[in-house]
Amino acid sequence: MADPVKEGRKLNRSFGGLTLLGILLVVAGLVGLVYTGVATLTSMILFGWLLLIGGLVGLVHAIQSRGTSYFWLGVVVAALNIAAGVVVIRHPHGTAEALTMFAALLFLTGGVFRLVGSVVVRGPQFGWTLLQGAFGLLLGLLVLFDWPHSSLYVLGCFFSLALLFDGLGLIAIGVGGRRIVSMVSDRMTPGTGADGAPDVDKKRPES
């Protein structure tokens, strides 16, 4: 049977690692919010490398599955991923402009649909849906009117915010996990009962 003390220490180290990773992500997110241009360029380069590596891995899998009905489909998808990755890596600014335009149109259409849907349906969440639609429409218009200059900071801001919130979530999980492990370890220490109180029956001398 595993030693509860050793297992608790392992869990503490694991949750401590999550907390440290969360702190690093929060710091990276804050730095990215300050330097949005660098964050945009970094996110595009990472996106390009992910496409390139994913395409190469897909090509290897397609070659391994040659002779099957999925061979040519896998080759085509892998080739498209590799080509897109090369284009993104070689032209990160142009890719950022295209993705920013896509994001603006996405916010714009989503906001319009939410506004129209909230007015037509008038459900129990009418006010909240109306506010979401107005915010999406306003955000889409702001990004679209400032395009292509908005491509220098929009994607970097979104990327940095994602890092920030992911880091905060990991910190919360790590700190909460360490507290739970500490509470369980205290209850399982020798000389205490199941409720954490001293086990008086074991300490009572025999008559």
Side-chain angles (χ1 to χ4, degrees):
M1 184 176 180
D3 188 359
V5 177
K6 292 183 179 179
E7 294 297 325
R9 290 175 180 173
K10 289 182 181 179
L11 287 175
N12 270 326
R13 286 194 295 268
S14 300
F15 284 119
L18 284 179
T19 305
L20 180 59
L21 179 60
I23 293 173
L24 293 176
L25 290 180
V26 168
V27 172
L30 293 176
V31 172
L33 289 175
V34 176
Y35 302 99
T36 52
V38 177
T40 299
L41 186 61
T42 303
S43 62
M44 289 297 96
I45 293 175
L46 288 176
F47 180 57
W49 278 108
L50 286 176
L51 286 175
L52 183 59
I53 295 173
L56 293 175
V57 173
L59 183 61
V60 171
H61 282 297
I63 293 175
Q64 290 177 348
S65 62
R66 59 183 179 276
T68 63
S69 58
Y70 302 101
F71 171 70
W72 288 111
L73 178 62
V75 170
V76 171
V77 172
L80 289 176
N81 284 335
I82 292 173
V86 172
V87 171
V88 172
I89 293 172
R90 294 189 61 183
H91 305 283
H93 295 288
T95 305
E97 292 180 1
L99 290 179
T100 302
M101 172 66 76
F102 177 75
L105 294 177
L106 189 64
F107 286 130
L108 193 62
T109 54
V112 170
F113 275 111
R114 281 194 176 93
L115 282 175
V116 174
S118 63
V119 173
V120 173
V121 178
R122 291 184 176 272
Q125 302 293 331
F126 168 73
W128 179 247
T129 307
L130 189 67
L131 181 62
Q132 283 183 322
F135 179 76
L137 181 62
L138 178 62
L139 184 60
L141 291 175
L142 289 176
V143 174
L144 195 59
F145 287 157
D146 198 29
W147 189 87
H149 181 263
S150 59
S151 63
L152 298 176
Y153 59 85
V154 169
L155 297 179
C157 183
F158 290 162
F159 180 67
S160 301
L161 287 175
L163 289 178
L164 180 62
F165 287 116
D166 286 344
L168 291 175
L170 288 178
I171 291 174
I173 293 174
V175 173
R178 287 176 66 90
R179 288 181 179 177
I180 294 175
V181 171
S182 298
M183 293 172 59
V184 173
S185 298
D186 291 341
R187 290 178 177 272
M188 296 180 66
T189 51
T192 59
D195 57 351
D199 195 351
V200 296
D201 293 335
K202 295 181 179 180
K203 293 183 179 181
R204 185 178 300 170
E206 297 181 358
S207 57

